[in-house]
Amino acid sequence: MSVGETPLTVIGNLTEDPELRYTPSGAAMAKFTVASTPRSYDKTTGQWQDGTAMFLRCTAWRDLAEHVAESLTKGARVVVTGRLRQHNWQTDQGENRSMLALEVDDIGPSLRFATAKVTRVQRNGSAPAPARDAWNTGAPAATGPATGGWGTPLAGDEPPF
């Protein structure tokens, strides 16, 4: 992220499955739209009221684009962070147009009303991480010596952070 850019976080639902494409140079690009609807509680009626929905077009690049396309589907509740970009163009009729879109830095499922199983990938490909990776180990046993569970490196291993 460049100096002076303001990160933006949006929580909402995917309106369609992400669309995965590749540029002529081979870079993966996923496009999707997030719908975010504000809600407020009306004490007089005792009911939640939906506000006006905002639809934000998003673009993810490279490995992130492939992970988005593989992991998320229409209706998924997501938390997206990125940078707003303004796109300007002129129509065939000569009218100037512009739109704001989010260039995605990070995205994940919202775990407020759902669960997710995370599979880490190695930096050089999509193979699962080795079983000894700290992210793939369970919590350490309550008794006995540490065996490489949460925050406890195995003998000879460096912490993964």
Side-chain angles (χ1 to χ4, degrees):
M1 187 175 318
S2 297
V3 174
E5 290 186 329
T6 303
L8 176 70
T9 300
V10 177
I11 301 170
N13 296 77
L14 296 184
T15 61
E16 296 291 333
D17 288 347
E19 178 185 352
L20 182 63
R21 295 188 208 168
Y22 292 87
T23 65
S25 65
M29 172 181 66
K31 291 193 170 270
F32 54 94
T33 300
V34 174
S36 181
T37 307
R39 300 186 88 203
S40 59
Y41 187 74
D42 185 339
K43 292 181 181 179
T44 59
T45 64
Q47 305 230 355
W48 286 94
Q49 304 274 330
D50 285 344
T52 303
M54 175 185 66
F55 296 88
L56 187 58
R57 193 73 176 145
C58 301
T59 305
W61 291 92
R62 298 172 201 57
D63 289 343
L64 179 60
E66 291 178 339
H67 297 168
V68 165
E70 183 178 328
S71 304
L72 301 171
T73 57
K74 177 182 178 178
R77 183 96 172 151
V78 293
V79 179
V80 186
T81 61
R83 295 157 282 140
L84 276 181
R85 296 283 189 234
Q86 182 165 329
H87 301 280
N88 301 308
W89 71 95
Q90 197 171 58
T91 67
D92 292 338
Q93 294 76 29
E95 299 171 321
N96 291 326
R97 302 280 187 194
S98 68
M99 71 175 259
L100 291 176
L102 190 67
E103 189 168 315
V104 178
D105 291 323
D106 208 352
I107 182 172
S110 169
L111 299 180
R112 175 171 261 187
F113 302 110
T115 61
K117 181 177 174 154
V118 177
T119 304
R120 276 192 76 168
V121 294
Q122 293 177 351
R123 289 186 188 262
N124 62 352
S126 59
R132 289 176 44 133
D133 183 281
W135 290 94
N136 284 340
T137 60
T143 60
T147 58
W150 295 65
T152 307
L154 294 169
D157 284 350
E158 291 295 319
F161 308 105

